[in-house]
Amino acid sequence: TQLLEQSPQFLSIQEGENLTVYCNSSSVFSSLQWYRQEPGEGPVLLVTVVTGGEVKKLKRLTFQFGDARKDSSLHITAAQPGDTGLYLCAGGHSGNTGKLIFGQGTTLQVKP
Amino acid sequence: DAGVIQSPRHEVTEMGQEVTLRCKPISGHNSLFWYRQTMMRGLELLIYFNNNVPIDDSGMPEDRFSAKMPNASFSTLKIQPSEPRDSAVYFCASSLRTAHGLHSPLHFGNGTRLTVT
C-alpha cells in the first residue's frame, strides 16, 4: 500500500511566522499535488510538481519536489490568518488514471 | 462554471436505512471520482469513472456501497444498508482526461456530510 505521510499533523502559529509542512513517502510518484481545504468545502488545488528537485512559488508559498520524487515540502513565509486551513499533499502516477493517493493532511491555524 | 455540485450537503439517517448521494460533475469533464474523508483515515478514493464507465472500485469498502454513472452529467453513490461507521464526508471530484491520458486538475465538490445514528 502506498502511503503519503504528512508532518506535522497540527500547527498553530502567530501571524508573521514562517512554517514548513512535509510530505514523505517510500514510493516514487510521477507528480505531487498540494491542496488546501477550508471547513465545509472541498480541497482546492494549489500546485502540481512533476520534476525531481522542482521548486514552484505561489506568492508566499514555496513548494518543492524532492530529487527522488518521494517527498515534498510546502513552506509559507510570513503566514497570515487567511492561510488557515487543511493542507493536503497527493501523489499521482504516470499512465495517468487521475487516481491520487492523499496524505492525512496538516491542519494549520494562524492566529492574528 | 458552477463547479462540481453535490447533494445533499448534509444527511442524517438511522442505521439500516438506504442513503443516496448525488453528484453533477463539471460540464465537459469525462472522469469522476468519489472520495470519503474521515479524521482517522483522511481522504480515501472509493471509485472512479472514465467516460461513465467504472474503472477502479477497489476502494469501495463493502458490497453495501455501490456507485453508478448513468450519463456524463450525473453520478450516485448508494449505501444500503447504512451503518454508523459510514459516517464521514463524501466528496465527488471531476477532471478531464485527454486522449494522451493526461488529467486536468481535480475539481472537488463541497461534499456531503453523512451521519448515521
Side-chain angles (χ1 to χ4, degrees):
Chain A
T1 303
Q2 297 171 314
L3 291 174
L4 275 169
E5 295 186 0
Q6 287 187 238
S7 61
Q9 282 188 289
F10 302 96
L11 195 54
S12 181
I13 62 172
Q14 292 293 136
E15 182 177 0
E17 293 183 10
N18 301 332
L19 68 116
T20 301
V21 177
Y22 299 94
C23 176
N24 295 296
S25 176
S26 58
S27 302
V28 176
F29 291 98
S30 60
S31 67
L32 203 294
Q33 299 181 350
W34 284 92
Y35 290 79
R36 179 165 165 263
Q37 184 179 12
E38 297 194 45
E41 299 182 6
V44 175
L45 180 68
L46 295 174
V47 77
T48 301
V49 286
V50 297
T51 305
E54 182 177 2
V55 176
K56 280 193 175 179
K57 292 193 175 185
L58 187 65
K59 297 184 181 178
R60 294 174 294 98
L61 278 60
T62 301
F63 305 86
Q64 184 163 7
F65 202 10
D67 291 342
R69 290 185 287 131
K70 293 182 179 181
D71 56 87
S72 181
S73 64
L74 158 60
H75 182 79
I76 301 179
T77 303
Q80 298 177 0
D83 295 328
T84 293
L86 177 66
Y87 289 83
L88 296 156
C89 65
H93 291 283
S94 59
N96 213 319
T97 60
K99 183 174 177 177
L100 295 175
I101 307 297
F102 279 85
Q104 292 283 80
T106 294
T107 299
L108 171 65
Q109 180 188 42
V110 183
K111 293 178 280 190
Chain B
D1 185 352
V4 176
I5 299 173
Q6 291 186 244
S7 64
R9 286 300 311 273
H10 302 274
E11 178 79 44
V12 181
T13 190
E14 292 184 347
M15 182 174 65
Q17 297 297 307
E18 177 180 296
V19 175
T20 300
L21 312 181
R22 297 173 175 80
C23 175
K24 177 178 168 55
I26 290 174
S27 177
H29 281 187
N30 55 12
S31 294
L32 183 141
F33 305 79
W34 281 101
Y35 283 87
R36 176 171 69 177
Q37 187 175 39
T38 61
M39 288 291 291
M40 291 296 294
R41 301 172 68 90
L43 261 174
E44 302 173 281
L45 178 63
L46 301 177
I47 185 172
Y48 72 90
F49 295 83
N50 193 46
N51 292 324
N52 312 339
V53 176
I55 302 300
D56 184 349
D57 65 355
S58 59
M60 295 286 261
E62 299 171 35
D63 291 344
R64 297 184 297 105
F65 286 69
S66 63
K68 294 183 180 179
M69 192 165 186
N71 56 62
S73 59
F74 184 66
S75 177
T76 59
L77 177 66
K78 186 177 292 186
I79 308 173
Q80 165 65 18
S82 58
E83 296 183 3
R85 60 194 167 121
D86 301 331
S87 297
V89 182
Y90 290 80
F91 286 101
C92 176
S94 71
S95 69
L96 175 64
R97 185 171 188 262
T98 69
H100 300 291
L102 297 177
H103 273 263
S104 66
L106 279 184
H107 292 259
F108 284 82
N110 284 332
T112 295
R113 180 174 294 277
L114 172 64
T115 303
V116 184
T117 60

